[in-house]
Amino acid sequence: MHDAIENSFLASLEMTRFKGFLQDHHYISNQYIFVAQLINLILKWYCSKTKKQHLVSVYFERLENYCRKFYALNIKIFNWNSVNSVQKYNQKPDLKIWLKNPLSILAENAGGGILLEGARIIELIPSGKQPSSEYDSVFDASCHVILPGLINLHHHFYQTLTRVYPQALNKELFPWLKTLYPLWAGITPEALRMATRLALAELLLSGCTTASDQHYVFPAGLENAIDLQVEEAQNLGIRMVLCRGSMDRSEKDGGLPPDSVVQTCDEILADSERLIQQYHNPEEGAMTQIALAPCSPFSVSETVMRESAKLAEKNNVLLHTHLAETEDENSFCLETIGCRPLEYLEQVGWLNNRTWMAHGIHFTDEEIQKLAATKTGISHCPSSNMVLSSGVCRVMDLEKAGVPVGLGVDGSASNDSSNLMQEVRQAFLLQRLQHGSKVTHLDALRWATEGGANVLRRPELGRIAEGMQADLALFKLDELRFSGNGDPLAALVICGAHQADRVMVAGKWIVEDGQILGLDLEQLQAEHHREAKRLQEK
Ligand SMILES: [Zn+2]
């Protein structure tokens, strides 16, 4: 029976990596294999139930980890007598890998590469030197430019379903929103699942290792939107901050959205609390975090704003919203609330270092000082701002004043792309236009890495340095656009890199040779397109 399982089932799932792992580590015992097979049968059942066969190899990585844990447990419980393997396990709980001699790297004094152990970077190696400790394997990075994994601060994954929707083309923000809300009211759980998977795939392939998404439409039937997004992110292995969006102010209360996509204040707060308890991991290196994210002052009541801030403080989670995106918004706030948007945010208890806002374009000098004093963060979204003609964010002024600033691609329906590396170039170009040559490619790269980590209050992310998480994006310069370059790092931004060759999150390769491990992109694209058509033709 065991042979039959191994030959047909394990082999058919291409479990070579698993077998190789076992042989490499001398971990084989009948009892141990049996446990691993049992876990695998459960995974297979789960995959077939949820129609996610293509994600099997992602589960694989986890299976390896489970196996390690079972092994350690076995040593404790059964006192195994394989001294060699016990020593091997104890000495090397995590494998060490040397990313050797990169073509270029965004780090100080690391021309010889970096040494990783498990999920962390443990050593920066100067040019011509070797790691100071033993290592298990070497990855030749001589064709790669290594960046810290990019961090995306603002997105709406569901909007990939309404890209370049003809009736919304060539409109500014408010009319654009009013055209799309009725469509978004028809989003089903399956459509959101496909949109999430597709947007995450786009982000990963562009070098993003930490993504955030603000989901704020909750039509009937989509109450568990965030739960399924958590599941998708965990399946792919990307780090994620899920912003539980909300709207409770529909047209009948003077807001913009129709009744069909909003929820009551009680529903919003109860679900926010539930999601924090269920998914938020406050630890260093966390893969899943929750933030509370009322959509914007023109779609949310004052109660939701105030209570969300209190809930965030009580649970020590972050707050996110759209602010100061357009002049329309300023007029709307002045007419309906009697003050400018930032003043309103201050009144409802939002100005502090747990808050970050998308766009942040229309601020006065005094308002920038206020943001700096409270360490309130900003996500600059250059493509979206240009498409919707919203204005230019004062990124240089904000940074100079001490405001944490990072980058976001924003929803696909305004940017129509989820490519964060391209957004780095957009940010560079837009700020260059405003400030001339004092803006460099290094500024734009900083916003997308360290800047984003700062905004999300994640000091272990965004830089290549000892002790940091091993979140990395590796780019090759083998396309026509890079030919003849004299500075590989600057070439990424200035020549317009758009696809990473390899991406690592928490020490694990998620993208290899430009492919996401275990994800069939053709199938995903077909399924996503079908859901988008269904929604647009409703
Ligand atoms: Zn947005």
Side-chain angles (χ1 to χ4, degrees), residues 199-213:
L200 285 173
E202 269 191 279
L203 283 167
L204 270 171
L205 289 171
S206 74
C208 172
T209 51
T210 301
S212 67
D213 186 57

Side-chain angles (χ1 to χ4, degrees), residues 151 153 447 449-459 461-463:
I151 297 175
L153 292 183
W447 300 327
T449 54
E450 214 178 322
N454 223 347
V455 169
L456 295 179
R457 303 207 305 189
R458 298 291 299 268
L461 307 179
R463 280 187 305 126

Side-chain angles (χ1 to χ4, degrees), residues 154 156 322 359 410:
H154 188 64
H156 313 286
H322 294 92
H359 307 299
D410 200 5

